[in-house]
Amino acid sequence: MYHFDKGVLVVRLNMEDVVVTGLGATTPLGGDVPSTWAGMLAGESGIAAVEEDWAAALPVRIAARLRVEPTEVLDRVQARRLDRCEQIALVAAREAWADAGRPGVEPERLAVVIGTGTGGALSMLGQDDVLEASGVRKVSPHTVAMLMANGPAAWVSIELGARGGAHTPVSACASGAEAIATGLDLIRLGRADVVVAGGTEACIHPLPLAGFAQARAHSTRNDAPGRASRPFDTGRDGFVIGEGAALVVLERAGFAAARAARVHAVLAGAGVTSDAHHITAAHQDGQVRAIRLALAAAGLGPAGIGQVHAHATSTQLGDLTEAGSIEEAVGSRPAVTATKSMTGHLFGAAGALGAVAAVLSLRERVVPAVRNLEEQDPRVRLDVVAGAPRRGVAGAALVNSFGFGGHNASLVFTAAG
């Protein structure tokens, strides 16, 4: 809680546990959490060829699109007024809220934190095309509400009646994990009892594909989409752009206990840092500091981590940097997985989906295997799970999420009970 004492703000942290009571997602593997999780355990790929005519001239013609279109779930009129990233945030929020049992919380004690990397990029680019081709009178009156990055958080707050704040971290690929870290802070600062937190992204479009291709960050395995994303493998040649949303419901443990809520896991700690080094090249020091801050917040040492859900996008330099960071911060003993090998890179939603996978791994005591890991890079001195899911893994779960701009966010989850 916080108060003013002689004009000075005094903050007293609430160190009560923060628990995860709800999970929601829509991804290239499935339209909800159960189907996405089943796809991860089966080692499926959500990556496919981009068949539109506009892709023919691009060096990159693969992407990981949603398995289930949000328009199949949302009301037609409502969907037409929302950007795709807003649509899928609502889909994931409804699942997470229902999974949590629709907590009866005071609106002023309910907050929403949804991160995104590009926000309503599809609407901005699409409406610009409309303006150029047909003039101002054809531009949608909903354009501004569709393109603004805070749109997903705003729409979810309206849907749930959340009046405790609607926040939007925009930290590139670390946005979703940073949103969950912010949710933890809101509860521990006494500003909320329940927070819906996570990330959303939808930007499969010629311009991002062309830009990433020019930066040589995207895989060009156009002839073998399912084999394109291969974290930690010697043959990796870049990430694959994906779309999706993932959200969790966080609650103060006492609040959850009072309503006899089912608890999936405990969000024990989080660490957020910045590299101040380079706009696109990651720095090991910043990643290590984020991991160590998360461990310290959770009251754990390196030996307490049993599994790592790596950021691991399948780029040459990025995977090596993170492997070194994991080895330095927690050692080479934990089981390491990288689900982007199946879902592609969901950018602002990536860390949130990693959190959902970590919670399920703890709850089910099984860690998904990395798809396409045929020959592990010998410079990656980690116990990377390959071939088949690994069962019976003990210890806490670490989730890493790193983004362009030097943004680093790490989360630590522990098993419920």
Side-chain angles (χ1 to χ4, degrees), residues 48-52 54-56 60-63 65 204 209:
V50 177
E51 303 289 355
E52 284 86 346
W54 54 255
V60 170
R61 298 185 297 278
I62 54 175
R65 284 187 158 139
I204 297 175
L209 279 169

Side-chain angles (χ1 to χ4, degrees), residues 102-406:
R102 297 180 174 84
V105 58
E106 291 295 323
E108 291 76 14
R109 301 292 297 167
L110 171 62
V112 173
V113 191
I114 301 179
T116 181
T118 63
L122 291 182
S123 291
M124 180 171 63
L125 293 167
Q127 290 302 306
D128 182 64
D129 290 341
V130 171
L131 178 63
E132 292 293 327
S134 304
V136 66
R137 291 185 178 278
K138 294 296 184 179
V139 172
S140 170
H142 304 291
T143 296
V144 174
M146 292 166 73
L147 66 84
M148 60 190 195
N150 62 303
W155 279 113
V156 171
S157 72
I158 293 168
E159 171 95 0
L160 301 180
R163 298 174 63 183
H167 309 273
T168 305
V170 179
S171 307
C173 307
S175 301
E178 188 167 334
I180 293 173
T182 300
L184 176 66
D185 288 345
L186 288 173
I187 293 175
R188 287 192 166 168
L189 286 170
R191 294 175 179 166
D193 293 316
V194 181
V195 179
V196 179
T200 185
E201 203 77 86
C203 60
I204 297 175
H205 180 277
L207 184 60
L209 279 169
F212 286 126
Q214 288 297 96
R216 299 188 178 181
H218 201 289
S219 173
T220 55
R221 275 193 173 84
N222 298 315
D223 58 339
R227 300 182 65 243
S229 183
R230 42 199 319 113
F232 302 126
D233 189 78
T234 55
R236 65 189 184 279
D237 71 331
F239 63 73
V240 177
I241 188 171
E243 59 181 359
L247 298 175
V248 299
V249 177
L250 305 175
E251 297 190 39
R252 180 171 55 82
F255 186 88
R259 66 183 193 88
R262 176 188 57 178
V263 173
H264 293 295
V266 177
L267 175 55
V272 177
T273 67
S274 54
D275 292 344
H277 167 65
H278 190 276
I279 198 66
T280 56
H283 196 279
Q284 187 166 317
D285 173 71
Q287 296 180 359
V288 170
R289 286 188 295 112
I291 295 169
R292 286 177 173 166
L293 283 171
L295 289 173
L300 295 173
I305 299 298
Q307 58 182 277
V308 178
H309 292 252
H311 183 63
T313 63
S314 188
T315 63
Q316 281 287 337
L317 181 59
D319 284 11
L320 276 184
T321 301
E322 184 180 12
S325 300
I326 293 169
E327 186 177 9
E328 181 178 347
V330 298
S332 58
R333 177 191 53 81
V336 177
T337 189
T339 53
K340 291 182 183 68
S341 59
M342 295 170 273
T343 65
H345 191 354
L346 274 54
F347 299 153
L353 183 57
V356 169
V359 167
L360 292 169
S361 289
L362 285 170
R363 193 186 75 185
E364 307 296 330
R365 292 181 60 83
V366 56
V367 179
V370 179
R371 181 182 169 89
N372 298 321
L373 187 60
E374 297 170 359
E375 182 182 357
Q376 184 168 322
D377 189 326
R379 296 169 294 179
V380 176
R381 297 181 294 270
L382 301 173
D383 181 13
V384 183
V385 180
R390 188 174 301 175
R391 301 187 179 277
V393 176
L398 169 69
V399 179
N400 286 335
S401 194
F402 309 129
F404 279 3

